[in-house]
Amino acid sequence: MFKRLWECLTVWSVPPTSLRGAQAILAHAAGENSPSDPGIVNEFLAGLIRQLYQELKVPVIIQGELKSCLSDVPLTAVSPRQEETTPNYINTFDIALWQKAECDKLGAKHVVLVSFYPHYWRAMKATEKVGLTVLVPPGLKEMYDPNNSQKWARYKWVNRLYELFLARPYFLLKGWV
C-alpha cells in the first residue's frame, strides 16, 4: 500500500515497453470541447491510435469521445460519450471495466493502452487492476486543452493538483489502482 501511495504522489510518466504480443488497442479519451469538437488532446490520441493500428492490426476499443477522430480505423467497440450518460459520470475505472469485458469477448489479455499524461498512470493501474496486461506505446504526451469541457483538464497545474489530491487518492482508497 505504501509503495502504491508513493507512486500516486510521484509517478507522472511511464516508459514505453515492447508491444510484442499485443492483442488489442485500448484508449481512454480526454473530455470533448463540445459535441462537435473533440479537442486537440483527443485528436492527438487518435493519431497515435491510427499509427498503432497500422503497425499492429489488432482490435481497437475506445472511449466514445475519440470516435469522431477515427472514421478511417475499424473500431471493435466504442463506449458511450460522457454527454450521452449525463448526469452519470463514466470514470476511468468504469472505462477499464467496460474495456475488460470487451477484451474478454475477444480473448485478449495483452493490450496497448493509449491515453495522455498525467492521466495515463491512473488509467494503466486501473486497467491492470481489472486483469489486463498493459503494453505502453511510445509517443505518449502530457497535454492540456484550454477549451476542454472538463475544467480540471485545461491546464497543467490544475490537472496535476486534481490527480495528486483528488483522483489518485480516491482511486487508491477505492482499490481501483
Side-chain angles (χ1 to χ4, degrees):
M1 176 77 152
F2 180 76
K3 179 181 184 249
R4 187 55 43 98
L5 175 60
W6 183 249
E7 289 177 18
C8 283
L9 301 173
T10 62
V11 177
W12 298 104
S13 63
V14 181
T17 65
S18 168
L19 303 183
R20 182 176 298 232
Q23 297 169 305
I25 297 167
L26 309 184
H28 288 237
E32 297 172 300
N33 292 1
S34 72
S36 61
D37 179 4
I40 60 173
V41 176
N42 288 333
E43 289 172 357
F44 169 79
L45 296 175
L48 188 52
I49 294 163
R50 190 175 295 107
Q51 186 177 24
L52 289 165
Y53 177 75
Q54 291 304 317
E55 178 186 335
L56 301 170
K57 301 288 191 217
V58 295
V60 178
I61 301 168
I62 63 165
Q63 195 168 344
E65 286 77 2
L66 293 163
K67 183 179 180 182
S68 67
C69 303
L70 290 168
S71 59
D72 57 338
V73 173
L75 303 173
T76 302
V78 179
S79 79
R81 294 169 37 236
Q82 287 293 345
E83 179 182 86
E84 298 165 347
T85 63
T86 300
N88 298 318
Y89 182 74
I90 304 172
N91 68 40
T92 298
F93 194 70
D94 294 332
I95 291 296
L97 286 170
W98 171 78
Q99 289 177 329
K100 169 70 163 102
E102 294 299 322
C103 285
D104 286 350
K105 293 175 190 175
L106 302 169
K109 296 198 179 301
H110 294 83
V111 300
V112 178
L113 180 64
V114 175
S115 190
F116 56 96
Y117 291 126
H119 177 262
Y120 192 85
W121 179 87
R122 189 163 44 95
M124 179 182 79
K125 293 301 178 186
T127 302
E128 290 172 344
K129 191 73 170 185
V130 300
L132 297 171
T133 300
V134 173
L135 308 175
V136 181
L140 300 173
K141 282 185 171 181
E142 185 168 4
M143 298 188 71
Y144 304 95
D145 186 337
N147 299 313
N148 194 290
S149 61
Q150 298 172 326
K151 293 178 183 174
W152 63 87
R154 293 178 183 172
Y155 304 101
K156 181 176 183 170
W157 68 272
V158 175
N159 198 241
R160 288 281 182 111
L161 291 173
Y162 169 79
E163 284 290 328
L164 189 61
F165 293 115
L166 293 174
R168 291 180 180 195
Y170 181 73
F171 271 55
L172 184 62
L173 288 172
K174 294 290 267 181
W176 295 344
V177 295

